Amino acid sequence: MNTLVRAAVALSFVALSGCASLITGGELIRPGEPTGGLEIRNVSRTNSIDVVLVSDCSAHTYGLNRLPSGYSIPPGGSYTFTLSAGCWDVGAGEVLSQNTWTEGYAKVTVVPGRTTTLQSR
């Protein structure tokens, strides 16, 4: 019985780990694939970008914030992600208050060895 419980728990972890990429948006760098860059440039003079969502185009969600914990892209600043080449859904936004935010979304193709730039408005 104990062995059966352990096997069920192990199988649950395997199943959940397979679904995790659908929730998080997938790995940014897939092993063995060529990479390129995605630069998020904040051209605002006053507002920071607080959240950047990056997910593989085949994922079911935009995933989770990919910026380092506690980091925002300041006005005039930028942040560059290294991603596997291919199609990516990207969202970025600013949290204005607990219940108010601004956001924008784009579909981007990352080319191997090149950096693609997205600018805020």
Side-chain angles (χ1 to χ4, degrees):
M1 180 78 158
N2 209 6
T3 303
L4 184 58
V5 170
R6 286 183 190 160
V9 169
L11 185 58
S12 297
F13 281 120
V14 170
L16 288 175
S17 67
C19 294
S21 68
L22 299 176
I23 295 168
T24 64
E27 295 297 320
L28 298 181
I29 300 173
R30 296 178 292 264
E33 293 187 14
T35 61
L38 174 63
E39 177 187 26
I40 307 298
R41 185 176 296 162
N42 185 356
V43 297
S44 170
R45 293 181 187 195
T46 57
N47 301 326
S48 294
I49 295 174
D50 302 312
V51 177
V52 176
L53 311 175
V54 181
S55 66
D56 185 284
C57 286
S58 65
H60 296 293
T61 69
Y62 275 89
L64 306 173
N65 185 11
R66 302 295 187 143
L67 289 173
S69 180
Y71 184 82
S72 293
I73 304 171
S78 66
Y79 189 88
T80 301
F81 296 91
T82 299
L83 307 173
S84 286
C87 182
W88 295 92
D89 288 319
V90 180
E94 173 192 15
V95 178
L96 302 172
S97 70
Q98 183 176 358
N99 298 315
T100 309
W101 61 90
T102 62
E103 58 193 342
Y105 296 90
K107 189 172 293 288
V108 176
T109 299
V110 173
V111 178
R114 300 179 78 186
T115 297
T116 301
T117 301
L118 290 178
Q119 296 187 141
S120 65
R121 291 191 211 179

